[in-house]
Amino acid sequence: MPETLLSPRNLAFELYEVLDAEALTQRPRFAEHSRETFDAALATARTIAEKYFAPHNRKADENEPRYVDGRAELIPEVKPAVDAFLEAGFLNANRDFEVGGMQLPSLVSQACFAHFQAANAGTTAYPFLTMGAANLIESFGSDEQKRLFLQPMIEGRYYGTMALTEPHAGSSLADIRTRAEPAGDGSYRLKGNKIFISGGDHALSENIVHMVLAKLPDAPPGVKGISLFIVPKYLVNADASLGPRNDVVLAGLFHKMGWRGTTSTALNFGDNGQCVGYLVGQPHQGLACMFQMMNEARIGVGMGAVMLGYAGYLYSLDYARQRPQGRLPDNKDPHSPAVPIIEHSDVKRMLLAQKAYVEGAFDLGLYAARLFDDTHTATDADARRQAQELLDLLTPIVKSWPSAYCLKANELAIQILGGHGYTREYPVEQYYRDNRLNPIHEGTEGIQSLDLLGRKLAQNNGAGLKQLIRLIASTAERASHHPSLDPLRQPLEQLVNRLQGVTLALLGDLAQGKVAGALANSALYLRVFGHCVIGWRWLEQAIHAEVGLLKGSDRDFYQGKLQAARYFLTWEVPGCHNDLALLEARDDTCLAMQEGWF
Amino acid sequence: MPETLLSPRNLAFELYEVLDAEALTQRPRFAEHSRETFDAALATARTIAEKYFAPHNRKADENEPRYVDGRAELIPEVKPAVDAFLEAGFLNANRDFEVGGMQLPSLVSQACFAHFQAANAGTTAYPFLTMGAANLIESFGSDEQKRLFLQPMIEGRYYGTMALTEPHAGSSLADIRTRAEPAGDGSYRLKGNKIFISGGDHALSENIVHMVLAKLPDAPPGVKGISLFIVPKYLVNADASLGPRNDVVLAGLFHKMGWRGTTSTALNFGDNGQCVGYLVGQPHQGLACMFQMMNEARIGVGMGAVMLGYAGYLYSLDYARQRPQGRLPDNKDPHSPAVPIIEHSDVKRMLLAQKAYVEGAFDLGLYAARLFDDTHTATDADARRQAQELLDLLTPIVKSWPSAYCLKANELAIQILGGHGYTREYPVEQYYRDNRLNPIHEGTEGIQSLDLLGRKLAQNNGAGLKQLIRLIASTAERASHHPSLDPLRQPLEQLVNRLQGVTLALLGDLAQGKVAGALANSALYLRVFGHCVIGWRWLEQAIHAEVGLLKGSDRDFYQGKLQAARYFLTWEVPGCHNDLALLEARDDTCLAMQEGWF
């Protein structure tokens, strides 16, 4: 039976050959774990994803949440699925054993989660949003807030959301208008409207805990005046029992192109002046707090994009193996039987491109999870700090690259299925529609490009960047011991060298205040930087494939890795040089364009 | 009010500045026409498109055709729209005055049709399919067939389809299994199943004339054994009155991701052994006949892709002008008002890319229509032949390039609208879904790439190719008189020179029988060739923009043209060099990939 979610062989390659998950069990926090416990968790994730999540993926798409009597109504299959997720402990996969968690490394929990993301993006969002909100309260909430809100979230009784976007402001959080007035009793009364709130209403849980950005009366203008609040759907009494409905009204649902299983809501806070909220962390520090959640969410979005791409890749691969059609171009005999379309070079191209995008991005996502583990559990403080610096730098890539290229993978999957791929009788068109959200939510591509070029590069005096360049050089050095990898290594080295020069020049411009010009082509920079990072990860994979080949087993698997690495490093990476030339020249084609000229 | 279908100013630029539509009125066939009659036809098209086609575009998407009692049921708005199209005479826009036609040049009729394609791709397909089928009978049918089937099509009483694809064969027409047995009375009895037949059933017309590919009992194998048949839904009596239902059964409807207004059907021919068909043209010559229709259809598909891109571009342009959000990066004052997003450089980039794709492809589509006119009405036989040779060469580009890049334009339109663009409350997501069909139907991208590289290049000893290269050189020569265009001209010349070398080398390989290697990377070749052609068209537009600027009026319009030309020629065209390097090296990354390695 073909794999439908991800390739277990590739997952094992990532975990145990490339990213050395077993080394994590040397660390005190993960000492009770072993490859066996990791694999058991992964097997459970796969079983639940296949049994409870995948089967209603299409149904949820065809029956999007409905607005009924002020509530969002989901199809009945969602609750058993998230319940199974909860019962298996995945909601607390990373929490301590002592609070009932699985105390798994993030590397392994992300790999578990990947199965759900591939099986059903829509349903998976509900527990994911809850995890993010819970982590936020855990990091910044008071003990009382933890008792009243975090604990029931950990128990799976309350779900969470993040409520940032407002109708007039979109990505510009500086301009949010939701206000929070002190009520005199330590709580606040909120008033404002939020849109695109995923999971903003449903009956999956006893309560919903909205993490809301709002401004206090004395807030300074801009992003330095944003505070973070807990706003529950139902108020919670001091004894932790449920109180009456809070003044949070479901104003409506958005009807999306895809990802329909996750209800996207418009919420009105305080239409009746009675919306109770609780300040989380310090006043005016809300955006910094929220960024923790957003950074986790961005990695989650990136992995979600990967897994939609992965599911489409595997489906189109199986289709291409099964579907006979046409003959090879050097066969002119019309009596000869049709060949499976996987034998056509252009179909191989479309499969190989998908493989390169999907497995490259999958590796990066897991690498980021591994870094996340290092930020918490690396043995010395320097290593923890370095991991954080690198993760901060890579986050815009982890989020945006898969959103762009695994969407492209889905486009190719449709193309392989041809007319069938365009029909809703096959799953690939849904993956494509679902995946189109990922370049938009949790910070658009444009936002990510400004985050990378305008913020992350220079952070900590460029420590993250320097580290990345060292790591790429180290990979290239190890690759140089395999002469067969020369044609793969060289294009990466050329790109990295040139990118370094461009980076220094752009940072210089920024330091001199030439901000508009330096940031004008941030989209090009994001693309090239992303290709560098993915190219690096493919060279890493190629080295491990060479090592694997030497062992003599699984030759086909390792040959496939080398061919995908070759595709990415020789077809895609050198294609970035014109982008670099434009960046070098500070090309102003876009910046100079005038509104009246369109 | 913003334009929603296309820019009238740009259309006038194309018709009267770039493509010199008025010169056509010097030709006897169009002597009774003038710019005034052309503009009147265009105004009528616009009015009907806006009044009857655009308003139900979303409704048709939300209410796709339903299978009811063996029939396909459409929403009621479709019939008044197509009726208005018929009553205005567009179905016979190119036919002689004496048969009630408008005797318009194809250049002008395509420009008229563009309005309908932008307004509502789904509804527009019904008359378009009818035009294609009617032209086929006009070219190859007998007098009797013309009397019984063509005449009622011209009158808009019968509609048409093209029925090629079969479930097991897809693009591989050589393998179709539908059989046609002589019935002894000059007619045939067909038996077989066809899928993806657009417009295969509806109640818009009295009858539907299916143009069906099938094989005679003595057919040689492969594409040389395919014959073309008229198979009406209702039989037609000798006195041209309607007879009983033919044995054509609507087996089911396909449920598509987009383009839902056009019903896509599975048709069973001859389930009861009683499916009557009539041979069109000579036995076994069906594919050659059908190619006339397919070539017209391919240009139609290309223009359809352009117009979906165009509609999305205009919508996102208006949105970007209206939507205030954020501040420019060198403005740190949070008190300052938000700017319209069109002022952000990255939004300009996304608009400029759309403009470059859409207006570049629009120009090419109209240029192809102008060539089509030349094939019929150029004053000497040489010019007619040359036009045909060039049109044949360009057809795969006219079809495939807009299908790829105007889809990309739609992706950018969504991105500009952000979260809103992803919802069905805005039109851009539908354009994107609708447009995703275009790289698939009427010959996939892969089929187009093989048609170009394996067939069209070498046709007539490369006459079309030589002509194209001469034309590009002539454009470059004229551009060289405008020093300001040097940075736009040079990248094109570099690309064309290198592409010429690659082309000769690949044709050499093909001539030597190295077929598999030469065709292995046909997708790259198609892309580079397409970028050369569009780059050439943009340089042409840039020359006319320079001329326009000298006249002193409409400066903004011409500046916009120059900026879009600059975008395409300096951002996109030089990005093709790695593709050329791979083609030069006969890179075998894809060809060498093995099925077992995936």
Side-chain angles (χ1 to χ4, degrees):
Chain A
M1 211 179 95
E3 296 297 335
T4 58
L5 305 180
L6 53 78
S7 152
R9 179 65 189 90
N10 186 44
L11 179 57
F13 173 72
E14 287 295 342
L15 292 181
Y16 305 119
E17 296 172 63
V18 179
L19 297 170
D20 198 5
E22 286 181 276
L24 291 168
T25 63
Q26 310 290 319
R27 298 182 184 173
R29 180 165 179 83
F30 308 123
E32 292 184 44
H33 278 294
S34 63
R35 179 161 177 170
E36 285 65 37
T37 64
F38 292 165
D39 286 346
L42 292 165
T44 303
R46 175 181 173 159
T47 300
I48 296 174
E50 289 179 346
K51 185 168 173 192
Y52 292 99
F53 281 69
H56 71 280
N57 191 41
R58 174 60 77 177
K59 183 176 176 183
D61 178 69
E62 289 173 347
N63 300 274
E64 66 189 335
R66 293 185 312 136
Y67 181 92
V68 182
D69 299 335
R71 294 175 298 106
E73 211 171 84
L74 315 185
I75 60 168
E77 286 83 352
V78 178
K79 189 160 167 54
V82 292
D83 285 350
F85 183 96
L86 299 177
E87 279 156 29
F90 288 114
L91 193 74
N92 301 301
N94 305 112
R95 285 204 165 72
D96 297 354
F97 290 128
E98 63 185 30
V99 299
M102 298 166 85
Q103 209 162 316
L104 279 171
S106 181
L107 172 59
V108 178
S109 60
Q110 284 288 354
C112 290
F113 298 157
H115 295 81
F116 301 101
Q117 294 175 304
N120 189 324
T123 293
T124 301
Y126 297 101
F128 272 35
L129 288 160
T130 302
M131 287 189 267
N135 292 344
L136 203 48
I137 300 175
E138 187 156 29
S139 294
F140 304 105
S142 66
D143 288 345
E144 182 74 352
Q145 289 169 348
K146 289 180 187 170
R147 182 177 67 86
L148 294 180
F149 299 105
L150 174 61
Q151 187 53 36
M153 291 171 90
I154 290 176
E155 293 165 17
R157 295 189 293 110
Y158 291 9
Y159 279 20
T161 76
M162 52 199 293
L164 289 77
T165 306
E166 300 187 7
H168 67 289
S171 302
S172 182
L173 292 176
D175 295 314
I176 62 167
R177 292 179 190 151
T178 297
R179 292 285 176 266
E181 302 271 350
D185 61 354
S187 73
Y188 293 79
R189 295 295 172 275
L190 275 79
K191 190 164 179 55
N193 307 310
K194 298 281 182 180
I195 56 169
F196 301 145
I197 309 311
S198 295
D201 195 66
H202 54 71
L204 298 172
S205 55
E206 297 171 23
N207 202 355
I208 302 176
V209 180
H210 304 293
M211 306 303 296
V212 181
L213 293 185
K215 292 189 170 183
L216 294 168
D218 63 342
V223 291
K224 289 174 184 164
I226 298 172
S227 301
L228 176 64
F229 296 86
I230 288 172
V231 180
K233 174 179 176 180
Y234 290 95
L235 296 173
V236 178
N237 300 317
D239 65 355
S241 63
L242 271 192
R245 269 294 288 260
N246 198 359
D247 182 9
V248 180
V249 172
L250 178 66
L253 305 183
F254 292 94
H255 302 95
K256 303 195 292 297
M257 175 168 67
W259 208 305
R260 295 188 185 177
T262 305
T263 185
S264 179
T265 65
L267 295 180
N268 290 354
F269 295 91
D271 272 358
N272 306 306
Q274 299 296 322
C275 178
V276 178
Y278 308 97
L279 181 67
V280 178
Q282 296 302 306
H284 317 318
Q285 300 298 313
L287 200 60
C289 300
M290 191 57 103
F291 256 105
Q292 173 192 301
M293 184 172 182
M294 278 200 285
N295 280 329
E296 285 176 35
R298 284 172 179 182
I299 295 172
V301 167
M303 277 300 283
V306 174
M307 298 318 299
L308 286 167
Y310 215 140
Y313 165 57
L314 292 178
Y315 195 93
S316 65
L317 174 59
D318 183 55
Y319 183 91
R321 283 178 164 144
Q322 305 298 329
R323 169 79 175 175
Q325 194 178 302
R327 283 152 204 87
L328 298 185
D330 45 9
N331 174 2
K332 298 293 180 201
D333 175 12
H335 290 290
S336 60
V339 299
I341 61 171
I342 200 169
E343 294 190 27
H344 295 299
S345 186
D346 195 51
V347 173
K348 291 186 199 180
R349 174 187 65 83
M350 294 190 280
L351 289 169
L352 201 50
Q354 286 185 72
K355 182 177 169 77
Y357 297 148
V358 164
E359 294 183 5
F362 186 68
D363 172 279
L364 177 64
L366 294 181
Y367 179 80
R370 182 74 159 80
L371 279 179
F372 188 78
D373 286 321
D374 287 346
T375 66
H376 288 78
T377 63
T379 37
D380 65 278
D382 267 0
R384 291 195 292 276
R385 180 181 47 73
Q386 286 188 358
Q388 189 65 56
E389 288 165 351
L390 186 58
L391 184 59
D392 285 346
L393 176 69
L394 291 179
T395 295
I397 303 299
V398 175
K399 194 273 175 186
S400 68
W401 200 92
S403 297
Y405 288 89
C406 296
L407 175 64
K408 204 165 163 175
N410 288 142
E411 196 177 316
L412 293 169
I414 292 176
Q415 196 68 19
I416 288 174
L417 270 73
H420 295 293
Y422 192 66
T423 69
R424 307 201 299 282
E425 279 80 13
Y426 291 80
V428 287
E429 65 86 29
Q430 186 186 344
Y431 299 143
Y432 180 62
R433 284 186 293 111
D434 287 358
N435 221 349
R436 185 63 190 82
L437 180 57
N438 285 316
I440 297 171
H441 65 168
E442 307 303 339
T444 61
E445 299 289 283
I447 294 288
Q448 302 302 323
S449 72
L450 294 176
D451 183 44
L452 175 65
L453 184 54
R455 233 166 59 89
K456 294 292 177 64
L457 283 178
Q459 235 173 24
N460 303 306
N461 281 320
L465 180 64
K466 287 173 201 155
Q467 197 187 154
L468 177 64
I469 288 166
R470 275 199 306 274
L471 286 168
I472 296 177
S474 154
T475 300
E477 198 280 322
R478 282 180 287 117
S480 70
H481 300 301
H482 303 271
S484 62
L485 296 182
D486 286 354
L488 281 58
R489 172 176 54 81
Q490 287 153 356
L492 179 67
E493 288 181 324
Q494 284 160 17
L495 196 71
V496 172
N497 287 339
R498 199 169 171 187
L499 178 62
Q500 278 191 71
V502 167
T503 302
L504 288 177
L506 290 173
L507 290 175
D509 284 4
L510 286 170
Q512 292 172 49
K514 300 178 190 166
V515 180
L519 298 180
N521 300 325
S522 58
L524 295 182
Y525 189 86
L526 182 73
R527 181 177 116 84
V528 179
F529 198 95
H531 266 52
C532 255
V533 169
I534 298 288
W536 163 50
R537 297 310 309 165
W538 264 118
L539 191 59
E540 269 295 330
Q541 292 194 55
I543 294 170
H544 289 280
E546 286 285 341
V547 171
L549 274 181
L550 289 176
K551 290 185 193 148
S553 61
D554 266 350
R555 291 193 65 82
D556 280 355
F557 174 79
Y558 294 118
Q559 290 285 8
K561 279 288 177 196
L562 288 170
Q563 203 74 356
R566 180 176 155 196
Y567 172 83
F568 194 79
L569 287 156
T570 64
W571 282 52
E572 297 267 338
V573 162
C576 294
H577 281 280
N578 190 54
D579 296 340
L580 285 169
L582 292 164
L583 289 163
E584 284 165 355
R586 310 292 189 283
D587 183 276
D588 72 347
T589 304
C590 298
L591 189 64
M593 183 71 186
Q594 302 296 310
E595 180 267 334
W597 296 356
F598 280 108
Chain B
M1 210 180 96
E3 296 296 335
T4 57
L5 305 179
L6 54 80
S7 152
R9 179 65 188 89
N10 185 44
L11 180 56
F13 173 72
E14 287 295 343
L15 292 181
Y16 304 120
E17 297 172 63
V18 179
L19 297 171
D20 198 6
E22 287 180 276
L24 291 168
T25 63
Q26 309 291 318
R27 297 183 183 173
R29 179 166 181 83
F30 308 123
E32 292 183 44
H33 278 294
S34 63
R35 179 161 175 170
E36 286 65 39
T37 63
F38 293 164
D39 285 346
L42 293 165
T44 303
R46 176 181 171 157
T47 301
I48 296 174
E50 288 180 346
K51 185 168 172 190
Y52 292 99
F53 281 70
H56 70 280
N57 191 41
R58 175 60 77 178
K59 183 175 176 185
D61 180 67
E62 289 174 347
N63 301 274
E64 66 188 334
R66 293 185 312 137
Y67 181 93
V68 182
D69 298 336
R71 295 175 296 107
E73 210 171 85
L74 315 185
I75 60 170
E77 287 83 352
V78 178
K79 189 162 169 49
V82 291
D83 284 349
F85 183 95
L86 298 177
E87 280 156 28
F90 288 114
L91 192 75
N92 301 300
N94 304 111
R95 285 205 165 71
D96 297 355
F97 291 129
E98 63 185 31
V99 299
M102 299 167 83
Q103 210 162 316
L104 280 171
S106 183
L107 172 58
V108 178
S109 60
Q110 284 288 352
C112 290
F113 299 156
H115 295 81
F116 302 99
Q117 293 175 305
N120 189 324
T123 293
T124 301
Y126 296 102
F128 271 35
L129 287 160
T130 302
M131 287 190 269
N135 291 346
L136 202 48
I137 299 176
E138 188 156 29
S139 295
F140 303 106
S142 66
D143 288 345
E144 181 75 353
Q145 289 167 350
K146 289 179 188 172
R147 181 176 69 84
L148 295 180
F149 300 106
L150 174 61
Q151 186 54 35
M153 292 171 90
I154 289 177
E155 292 165 18
R157 296 189 292 111
Y158 292 8
Y159 279 19
T161 76
M162 52 200 293
L164 289 75
T165 307
E166 300 187 6
H168 67 287
S171 302
S172 182
L173 293 175
D175 295 314
I176 61 167
R177 291 180 191 151
T178 297
R179 292 283 177 267
E181 301 270 350
D185 61 354
S187 73
Y188 292 79
R189 294 296 172 275
L190 276 78
K191 191 164 181 53
N193 307 311
K194 297 283 181 178
I195 57 169
F196 301 145
I197 308 311
S198 294
D201 195 64
H202 54 70
L204 298 172
S205 55
E206 297 170 24
N207 202 357
I208 302 175
V209 180
H210 304 292
M211 306 303 296
V212 181
L213 293 185
K215 292 190 169 180
L216 294 168
D218 61 343
V223 292
K224 290 175 183 161
I226 297 172
S227 302
L228 175 63
F229 297 86
I230 287 173
V231 180
K233 177 179 175 181
Y234 290 96
L235 296 174
V236 178
N237 300 317
D239 65 356
S241 64
L242 271 191
R245 270 295 288 263
N246 198 358
D247 183 9
V248 180
V249 172
L250 178 66
L253 304 183
F254 292 95
H255 302 96
K256 304 194 293 295
M257 173 168 69
W259 207 304
R260 294 188 186 178
T262 305
T263 185
S264 179
T265 64
L267 296 179
N268 290 353
F269 295 90
D271 273 359
N272 306 305
Q274 299 297 321
C275 178
V276 178
Y278 308 98
L279 181 68
V280 178
Q282 295 303 307
H284 318 320
Q285 299 298 314
L287 201 60
C289 300
M290 190 59 103
F291 255 106
Q292 173 191 304
M293 184 173 181
M294 278 200 283
N295 279 328
E296 286 176 33
R298 284 172 179 181
I299 295 172
V301 167
M303 278 299 284
V306 173
M307 298 319 299
L308 287 166
Y310 215 139
Y313 164 57
L314 292 178
Y315 195 93
S316 66
L317 174 59
D318 182 57
Y319 183 92
R321 283 178 165 141
Q322 306 297 329
R323 169 81 176 173
Q325 195 179 300
R327 283 153 203 84
L328 297 185
D330 45 9
N331 174 2
K332 298 290 179 203
D333 176 11
H335 290 291
S336 60
V339 298
I341 61 172
I342 199 169
E343 295 191 26
H344 296 299
S345 186
D346 196 51
V347 174
K348 292 186 199 180
R349 174 188 65 83
M350 293 190 281
L351 289 169
L352 202 49
Q354 285 184 73
K355 183 177 169 76
Y357 297 149
V358 165
E359 294 184 5
F362 185 67
D363 173 278
L364 177 64
L366 293 182
Y367 179 81
R370 183 74 158 79
L371 278 180
F372 189 77
D373 286 321
D374 288 345
T375 65
H376 288 77
T377 64
T379 37
D380 66 276
D382 267 1
R384 290 196 292 276
R385 179 181 47 73
Q386 286 188 359
Q388 188 65 56
E389 287 165 353
L390 185 57
L391 184 59
D392 285 346
L393 176 69
L394 290 178
T395 295
I397 302 301
V398 175
K399 194 273 173 183
S400 68
W401 199 91
S403 298
Y405 287 90
C406 296
L407 175 65
K408 204 166 163 174
N410 287 142
E411 195 177 317
L412 293 168
I414 292 176
Q415 195 69 18
I416 288 174
L417 270 72
H420 295 294
Y422 192 66
T423 68
R424 308 200 299 282
E425 279 81 11
Y426 291 80
V428 287
E429 65 86 28
Q430 186 186 343
Y431 299 142
Y432 180 62
R433 285 187 291 109
D434 287 359
N435 222 349
R436 184 62 190 84
L437 179 57
N438 285 316
I440 298 171
H441 64 167
E442 306 303 339
T444 63
E445 299 288 284
I447 294 288
Q448 302 302 323
S449 72
L450 294 177
D451 182 43
L452 176 65
L453 183 53
R455 232 165 60 91
K456 294 293 177 63
L457 284 178
Q459 234 172 23
N460 303 307
N461 279 320
L465 179 64
K466 285 172 202 157
Q467 195 186 154
L468 176 65
I469 287 166
R470 276 198 308 273
L471 286 167
I472 296 177
S474 154
T475 301
E477 199 280 325
R478 280 180 286 122
S480 70
H481 300 300
H482 303 271
S484 61
L485 296 182
D486 285 355
L488 281 60
R489 173 176 53 81
Q490 286 153 356
L492 180 65
E493 288 181 324
Q494 284 159 17
L495 196 71
V496 173
N497 287 340
R498 198 168 171 189
L499 178 62
Q500 279 191 69
V502 167
T503 302
L504 288 177
L506 290 173
L507 289 176
D509 284 3
L510 287 171
Q512 290 172 48
K514 300 178 190 167
V515 180
L519 298 180
N521 300 326
S522 59
L524 296 181
Y525 189 86
L526 182 74
R527 182 176 116 84
V528 179
F529 198 95
H531 265 53
C532 256
V533 169
I534 298 289
W536 163 51
R537 297 311 307 165
W538 264 116
L539 192 59
E540 270 293 330
Q541 292 194 54
I543 294 170
H544 289 281
E546 287 286 342
V547 171
L549 275 179
L550 290 176
K551 291 186 192 147
S553 63
D554 266 351
R555 290 194 65 82
D556 280 355
F557 175 78
Y558 294 118
Q559 289 285 7
K561 279 290 177 193
L562 288 170
Q563 205 73 357
R566 180 176 156 196
Y567 172 83
F568 194 78
L569 287 156
T570 65
W571 282 52
E572 297 266 340
V573 162
C576 294
H577 280 282
N578 190 54
D579 296 340
L580 284 169
L582 292 165
L583 288 164
E584 284 165 356
R586 310 291 190 284
D587 183 276
D588 72 346
T589 304
C590 298
L591 190 65
M593 183 70 185
Q594 301 296 311
E595 180 267 335
W597 295 357
F598 280 108

